[in-house]
Amino acid sequence: MLFAVGAVLLATGPVLVLRGRAGREQIQHELTTQKIVFPRVDDLPDALTRYAGLQVTTGEQALAFAELIGTHVTQATAGRTYAEIADEWQAGGRTDQRLGKLRETAFMGQTLRGSLLGAYQAWQITTLVAGLGCLLTAIGVAFLALGVTWP
């Protein structure tokens, strides 16, 4: 029985590793085609200066750029959310052009931020899938060894 379980795990593990790698490559391709580039070092918060001028191609970079967008949106909206601005705009009869533009800014910023956070989360999942694949492979090898030597 150990031998059979080991064989299944040994077959499953590499598939997970390959699927994790393929998922990561797809995310990297999608991020690369967006051509998102961090601004100059002078235009970045201290915590993000290491990314100055780099193109966003990884999950970690997508998270950092999402944080940058979040900072900019918070500054532009004085900390108000899209929903708060939209409520204020609607309560004013939808006539305040400044609020209308601010509502659009908040919406676009939060949408872009959400997309980048989604890429980061997907990147994390690919890491998990590949890691589980390595773990299953190791357990499969151990079970096979035990299955062969178990009386």
Side-chain angles (χ1 to χ4, degrees):
M1 181 69 159
L2 280 176
F3 189 83
V5 171
V8 169
L9 292 175
L10 192 57
T12 304
V15 171
L16 288 174
V17 171
L18 291 174
R19 293 305 305 151
R21 182 180 171 118
R24 183 165 281 204
E25 288 173 0
Q26 182 180 5
I27 295 163
Q28 197 162 32
H29 172 75
E30 291 298 322
L31 287 171
T32 300
T33 59
Q34 293 302 312
K35 299 180 181 169
I36 303 166
V37 178
F38 283 92
R40 303 178 333 232
V41 72
D42 298 345
D43 298 328
L44 288 172
D46 290 341
L48 301 179
T49 56
R50 68 177 181 256
Y51 298 112
L54 293 178
Q55 184 175 0
V56 175
T57 60
T58 69
E60 179 184 302
Q61 292 168 339
L63 175 62
F65 206 89
E67 290 172 359
L68 180 63
I69 290 172
T71 299
H72 288 165
V73 170
T74 299
Q75 289 171 350
T77 63
R80 293 178 291 174
T81 66
Y82 166 79
E84 292 169 328
I85 295 166
D87 287 347
E88 186 178 339
W89 181 66
Q90 288 176 358
R94 299 180 183 182
T95 57
D96 187 333
Q97 289 183 1
R98 184 190 63 78
L99 273 178
K101 294 281 186 196
L102 190 58
R103 181 179 71 88
E104 290 174 13
T105 297
F107 179 78
M108 287 188 289
Q110 290 302 327
T111 299
L112 291 171
R113 186 172 183 273
S115 294
L116 288 167
L117 289 173
Y120 169 72
Q121 291 166 348
W123 188 269
Q124 295 299 95
I125 290 170
T126 64
T127 302
L128 176 65
V129 169
L132 287 174
C134 290
L135 179 64
L136 290 180
T137 300
I139 293 170
V141 168
F143 278 20
L144 282 175
L146 286 172
V148 168
T149 60
W150 199 268

